[in-house]
Amino acid sequence: MPKLTKAIVDRAELREKQYTVWCSELKGFGVYVHPSGRRTYFIDYRTDDGVRRRMTIGRHGALTTEQARKLAIETMGGVVLKKADPLAERRSRRSSITVSDLCDQYLKVVESGMIVGRSRRPKKASTIEIDRGRIERHIKPLLGTKRVIDLTRADVVKFIRDVTAGKTAVHNRRGKNGARILVTGGPGTAARTVGLLGAILTYAVGEGVIEHNPAASVPKPADNVRTRRLSADEYRAVGKVLSYTSAELGTPQALTGAWLLALTGCRLGEIVNLTWDEVDETSSCFRLKDSKTGPSVRPIGKEAFDVLSDALRVDGNPYVLPGLRKEGNYNGLSGAWLRFMKQAQLEGVTPHTMRHSYASIAGDIGMSDSTISSLLGHSSATVTSKYVHRLDSVLVAAANKVCREIFRQMTGKGGNVIDMPRRA
């Protein structure tokens, strides 16, 4: 028999019945090939008292053949050298693993890049941090001490009900560097957190910890679809607050960031993390190295570049919104935005509201859904499918048109944006 390779495993899919392919170079290492085409790696060994064991290592796809072989060598090495019984150890460990332990294991695997997200790419560090927050603030407090094998559908339903009711809500919790964290509940938080719980339990099924996912098909609460958009009067109120006469309300970075949120349709994180080498005024776009959908090119209107022409710059700092201590980026935009909206006497207007309002203005002036998707950097938009170097002139014209209309509603006029305050 030849060495077990991916090509041999792939050819095995032609069989109609499940059968086994053995590796000729590593005794006891093989792969089950199922009629469906699914392939599962395993090892076959004998314990110190002569009992024959067969233990699965993992599925092909989650593991490559070489990765599975490496795991097989490590596992069988323990059998030979330590007289261990890895299958018995696994069964014992699985029978006692708690939800908290499972979450920790899941995060380690995600951080290694072996679990992909919806985009079929490994999860980003920022997404992993969001997952970690939901685990630590909701899943562990409510379910952490339960054994995974004892978790039922009823437990998941109760978990959703408790998060929705705000049982895990915490006010003024301390985060990194003394930052305050507001942990909320509600249907939106419950829907997103139980989605993560379902993914963790799916991982547990794949690892053989449990046979069925108790979160599967459990109805999720309706997540609040954010449809809030600004009216012309509300845009004008925001414009007044962000004018030069209101500069005392925030730092130059906060004012620049707020204007960009209003005029570009970008996400909060995209503005906070924007660097000067991503700003391409010649081509009228931002060339984002990373975004929620990966590398993305965003057409940007002239008035937004007028804002950038007066933005505070710090020598040696690459960020458009430099940190207050002249290192890193400015992370106070979210809090500053809340203060601006309070001054404008507007409720429920978040940075995402500005993104939705940008799209709504584009729709109001007759732009197609595909054009709006490209302006916003949605994953379905063709302009974001590749990190292109030349932007469609039609999209640039569309961005200019939307930006100009938003600026008009904010200021009541055309021309240059109100002078931004500068710091000496």
Side-chain angles (χ1 to χ4, degrees):
M1 288 289 291
K3 175 182 178 181
L4 184 60
T5 65
K6 182 178 182 299
I8 293 174
V9 174
D10 288 341
R11 287 199 300 273
E13 292 184 15
L14 300 175
R15 303 291 183 90
E16 294 182 358
K17 295 182 179 180
Q18 176 183 319
Y19 83 111
T20 300
V21 178
W22 293 98
C23 180
S24 61
E25 294 188 359
L26 181 60
K27 184 178 179 181
F29 173 48
V31 62
Y32 295 122
V33 183
H34 306 270
S36 65
R38 180 167 57 87
R39 291 147 285 173
T40 306
Y41 297 106
F42 68 90
I43 58 171
D44 190 281
Y45 65 96
R46 288 187 182 276
T47 65
D48 192 40
D49 56 1
V51 178
R52 186 177 181 181
R53 303 282 201 195
R54 185 166 288 189
M55 184 179 79
T56 59
I57 296 175
R59 292 182 181 179
H60 182 70
L63 293 173
T64 65
T65 303
E66 290 304 318
Q67 288 173 331
R69 182 181 290 106
K70 183 178 179 181
L71 288 174
I73 293 171
E74 293 174 353
T75 305
M76 289 193 288
V79 174
V80 175
L81 299 176
K82 301 178 181 179
K83 306 301 182 181
D85 185 351
L87 182 59
E89 292 175 1
R90 174 188 283 183
R91 288 172 176 170
S92 176
R93 186 171 62 252
R94 286 175 176 173
S95 66
S96 60
I97 187 173
T98 64
V99 172
S100 180
D101 294 332
L102 176 65
C103 289
D104 292 339
Q105 288 184 19
Y106 173 82
L107 286 173
K108 287 181 180 179
V109 176
V110 169
E111 288 171 345
S112 72
M114 295 185 68
I115 293 180
V116 298
R118 293 180 181 177
S119 61
R120 310 307 302 168
R121 294 190 296 266
K123 289 190 175 184
K124 298 178 183 178
S126 58
T127 302
I128 295 174
E129 280 306 304
I130 292 173
D131 287 350
R132 191 186 307 279
R134 289 171 180 163
I135 287 171
E136 296 296 334
R137 298 163 192 164
H138 302 291
I139 296 176
K140 284 187 176 182
L142 294 176
L143 299 173
T145 59
K146 273 189 167 292
R147 294 196 306 168
V148 178
I149 59 173
D150 294 334
L151 200 64
T152 65
R153 179 185 173 91
D155 292 326
V156 177
V157 172
K158 184 176 185 300
F159 171 79
I160 294 173
R161 186 165 58 245
D162 287 345
V163 176
T164 301
K167 190 171 182 178
T168 50
V170 177
H171 296 275
N172 297 327
R173 179 171 179 165
R174 291 289 178 180
K176 291 182 179 180
N177 301 321
R180 288 188 299 176
I181 299 175
L182 179 63
V183 181
T184 61
T189 299
R192 290 185 288 274
T193 306
V194 78
L196 172 60
L197 177 62
I200 294 171
L201 293 173
T202 296
Y203 163 76
V205 172
E207 291 294 298
V209 178
I210 50 178
E211 293 186 4
H212 304 288
N213 185 344
S217 302
V218 173
K220 297 179 183 179
D223 195 353
N224 293 328
V225 179
R226 293 174 285 189
T227 57
R228 176 82 158 89
R229 64 164 292 182
L230 266 62
S231 65
D233 289 341
E234 289 174 327
Y235 261 125
R236 187 71 186 98
V238 174
K240 287 180 178 178
V241 168
L242 300 183
S243 68
Y244 181 81
T245 56
S246 298
E248 67 275 7
L249 285 172
T251 64
Q253 296 96 317
L255 290 167
T256 297
W259 274 105
L260 292 177
L261 286 173
L263 296 173
T264 66
C266 288
R267 300 177 179 92
L268 175 67
E270 293 166 350
I271 296 300
V272 169
N273 295 304
L274 185 67
T275 55
W276 286 110
D277 63 353
E278 294 175 314
V279 176
D280 185 353
E281 185 171 3
T282 302
S283 299
S284 300
C285 66
F286 290 167
R287 298 186 181 278
L288 304 180
K289 298 171 187 175
D290 195 17
S291 71
K292 186 177 181 179
T293 57
S296 178
V297 180
R298 304 290 175 78
I300 301 296
K302 176 183 178 299
E303 287 76 11
F305 285 106
D306 290 340
V307 169
L308 289 171
S309 68
D310 281 334
L312 173 69
R313 291 185 183 239
V314 175
D315 290 340
N317 192 311
Y319 290 99
V320 171
L321 304 183
L324 294 176
R325 296 179 181 177
K326 299 187 178 181
E327 292 183 1
N329 58 341
Y330 172 69
N331 287 312
L333 182 55
S334 180
W337 183 264
L338 292 176
R339 294 192 296 273
F340 291 147
M341 294 307 101
K342 184 176 181 180
Q343 178 69 15
Q345 297 182 349
L346 296 177
E347 294 184 0
V349 177
T350 66
H352 187 83
T353 304
M354 305 311 292
R355 181 171 166 83
H356 183 74
S357 298
Y358 181 98
S360 299
I361 292 291
D364 291 344
I365 57 183
M367 293 182 183
S368 66
D369 290 344
S370 60
T371 297
I372 296 172
S373 290
S374 295
L375 294 176
L376 295 176
H378 287 164
S379 58
S380 59
T382 56
V383 73
T384 60
S385 62
K386 292 183 179 180
Y387 196 45
V388 297
H389 293 282
R390 183 168 181 171
L391 203 60
D392 191 330
S393 59
V394 175
L395 290 177
V396 172
N400 274 320
K401 193 172 182 180
V402 177
C403 190
R404 188 182 308 117
E405 175 58 21
I406 292 174
F407 175 73
R408 185 192 66 79
Q409 292 194 22
M410 292 180 72
T411 65
K413 62 180 181 179
N416 293 328
V417 174
I418 298 170
D419 291 337
M420 302 297 297
R422 304 181 186 227
R423 178 174 291 179

